[in-house]
Amino acid sequence: MILADKIIYERKKNGWSQEELADMLGVSRQSVSKWEGAQSIPDLQKILKMAELFQVSTDYLLKDEIEPDEREITYENDHTYETAEKRIVSMEEASDFLITNEQCLPKIGIGVFLCITCPAILLIMCALSESRMFGLREEPAVAIGLFFLFVQIGIAVALFIQQGLRLERYDYLQKETFETAYGVDGMVKAVKAQQGHRNHVALISGILLCIFSPVPLILSALMNVPDYVLVCLVALLLFLVALGVYLFIAVCGIHGACMVLLQDGDFAPSKKMQTQKLEPVTKIYWLLTVAIYLGVSFATNAWHYTWIIWPVAGILFAVVHAIAEAICGTKKEEP
């Protein structure tokens, strides 16, 4: 196998496009295209850089007689290890993955919807109690609201566990680099194109719901409406946000499943490594958020105010994630 063929083979094996490889080497996409077409040969510095990126020896790249199944990986510390064979995803497995996601994601979306809206009934009951409607006293109102809150959380947890177990066997697709059998990429791209319009509509609708969900609350606050009306509008805000998030998960999630199989975007090989490093940070952050939310809510019994913890946590998570990524990037660059 000549150098041109090896560059094509290793690039595709890592799931990189010509443009991505060109960016990592500091050259133009046209240069990579010429190398792969055997129209030109990269200089020595570029060959050394490719050996580092592909985690192979320069001998493997330069010697035509060394085939891919005979290659060795060379790391910066000069230790040499045999390569591990990548898992090959068959057409049947790829189809099962997409079908399973299509079945599970709407149910996971319902679970998230129930989690976001779980304080809503409690807020409405408190508002009814405060307005003296139906002669409802505060104690039974809170009891009814808490009952529905825990029922919704219980149903959501059951959905997460049930659907999570079904999707668990495909975890490696999001964490490991793999190869696809002949025809899989074409099938996935066709599904992605077919879902394109539906995905765009759901994405735009979800974003608009989240953006405009506070509008009724803000307008009512400016009109000096009674407090119990504002509390009910907070519940409406939660329902609108939850509906938007449901659309993201249930509909847009299929597009994400296609990206997983294509190893594109956030699921490119380089991104997968970064995600694995940041996974503990993500888990700890959201566990602390849940603990803080429940602790503050039960301590103050101000469920109609403590919901604000979630949007604040969402904004702060973007900051925490960016800092964690910067730290990981800095450590990676250290000699």
Side-chain angles (χ1 to χ4, degrees), residues 77-313:
N77 58 7
D78 293 332
H79 290 283
T80 303
Y81 302 93
E82 294 183 359
T83 60
E85 291 186 4
K86 290 185 180 178
R87 183 165 180 171
I88 297 177
V89 179
S90 66
M91 178 68 75
E92 183 181 2
E93 190 169 8
S95 299
D96 287 344
F97 173 70
L98 292 176
I99 292 171
T100 304
N101 272 273
E102 193 171 0
Q103 294 172 347
C104 293
L105 290 177
K107 295 175 183 176
I108 293 174
I110 292 172
V112 175
F113 181 93
L114 291 173
C115 284
I116 295 175
T117 59
C118 66
I121 295 179
L122 177 62
L123 294 175
I124 293 171
M125 297 305 295
C126 290
L128 292 176
S129 172
E130 186 178 346
S131 67
R132 307 297 180 184
M133 290 184 181
F134 311 112
L136 187 63
R137 291 181 294 114
E138 183 179 356
E139 291 79 6
V142 171
I144 294 171
L146 287 176
F147 170 77
F148 281 102
L149 183 147
F150 286 115
V151 167
Q152 285 185 229
I153 292 177
I155 295 173
V157 170
L159 287 171
F160 293 151
I161 293 174
Q162 184 184 39
Q163 306 311 313
L165 290 173
R166 292 186 64 188
L167 292 169
E168 188 177 17
R169 62 192 178 108
Y170 299 110
D171 281 352
Y172 79 93
L173 292 174
Q174 300 184 39
K175 297 178 180 179
E176 302 174 13
T177 303
F178 56 86
E179 293 181 355
T180 53
Y182 176 77
V184 170
D185 282 1
M187 180 273 291
V188 175
K189 288 177 181 177
V191 172
K192 182 182 173 186
Q194 186 180 8
Q195 295 284 336
H197 177 71
R198 187 165 172 251
N199 178 71
H200 291 154
V201 171
L203 183 63
I204 294 170
S205 301
I207 291 172
L208 291 177
L209 282 169
C210 291
I211 291 175
F212 291 107
S213 59
V215 171
L217 182 62
I218 294 171
L219 292 177
S220 299
L222 294 175
M223 295 169 62
N224 294 320
V225 300
D227 288 344
Y228 67 86
V229 175
L230 292 177
V231 173
C232 289
L233 289 174
V234 170
L236 175 63
L237 180 150
L238 292 176
F239 275 107
L240 293 176
V241 171
L243 182 58
V245 175
Y246 172 82
L247 291 174
F248 294 147
I249 297 172
V251 182
C252 301
I254 304 300
H255 179 270
C258 292
M259 299 293 279
V260 169
L261 288 172
L262 294 172
Q263 298 191 90
D264 198 6
D266 289 339
F267 301 101
S270 57
K271 290 283 188 180
K272 289 180 181 180
M273 293 178 63
Q274 191 175 62
T275 301
Q276 286 186 33
K277 291 179 181 179
L278 298 179
E279 188 175 1
V281 176
T282 303
K283 288 182 178 179
I284 292 171
Y285 180 87
W286 288 112
L287 284 173
L288 286 174
T289 301
V290 172
I292 291 170
Y293 170 70
L294 293 176
V296 173
S297 298
F298 280 114
T300 62
N301 201 27
W303 297 85
H304 52 296
Y305 293 122
T306 54
W307 63 270
I308 197 67
I309 290 174
W310 291 107
V312 171

Side-chain angles (χ1 to χ4, degrees), residues 14-137:
N14 284 279
W16 300 332
S17 65
Q18 287 185 342
E19 189 171 356
E20 287 174 326
L21 178 58
D23 289 341
M24 289 184 275
L25 293 171
V27 298
S28 65
R29 188 196 63 78
Q30 289 77 13
S31 295
V32 175
S33 179
K34 287 181 179 180
W35 297 342
E36 294 185 351
Q39 298 174 7
S40 66
I41 299 175
D43 60 36
L44 180 59
Q45 291 300 319
K46 295 297 182 288
I47 290 175
L48 291 173
K49 183 64 175 176
M50 278 192 285
E52 180 184 344
L53 289 172
F54 296 149
Q55 294 187 333
V56 299
S57 66
T58 52
D59 281 351
Y60 161 71
L61 291 176
L62 296 172
K63 294 181 179 179
D64 296 349
E65 62 270 20
I66 302 178
E67 295 297 321
D69 56 350
E70 300 171 357
R71 71 191 179 98
E72 294 180 325
I73 299 179
T74 303
Y75 292 87
E76 292 182 357
N77 58 7
D78 293 332
H79 290 283
T80 303
Y81 302 93
E82 294 183 359
T83 60
E85 291 186 4
K86 290 185 180 178
R87 183 165 180 171
I88 297 177
V89 179
S90 66
M91 178 68 75
E92 183 181 2
E93 190 169 8
S95 299
D96 287 344
F97 173 70
L98 292 176
I99 292 171
T100 304
N101 272 273
E102 193 171 0
Q103 294 172 347
C104 293
L105 290 177
K107 295 175 183 176
I108 293 174
I110 292 172
V112 175
F113 181 93
L114 291 173
C115 284
I116 295 175
T117 59
C118 66
I121 295 179
L122 177 62
L123 294 175
I124 293 171
M125 297 305 295
C126 290
L128 292 176
S129 172
E130 186 178 346
S131 67
R132 307 297 180 184
M133 290 184 181
F134 311 112
L136 187 63
R137 291 181 294 114

Side-chain angles (χ1 to χ4, degrees), residues 308-326:
I308 197 67
I309 290 174
W310 291 107
V312 171
I315 295 171
L316 290 178
F317 177 71
V319 177
V320 171
H321 197 271
I323 294 172
E325 283 185 338

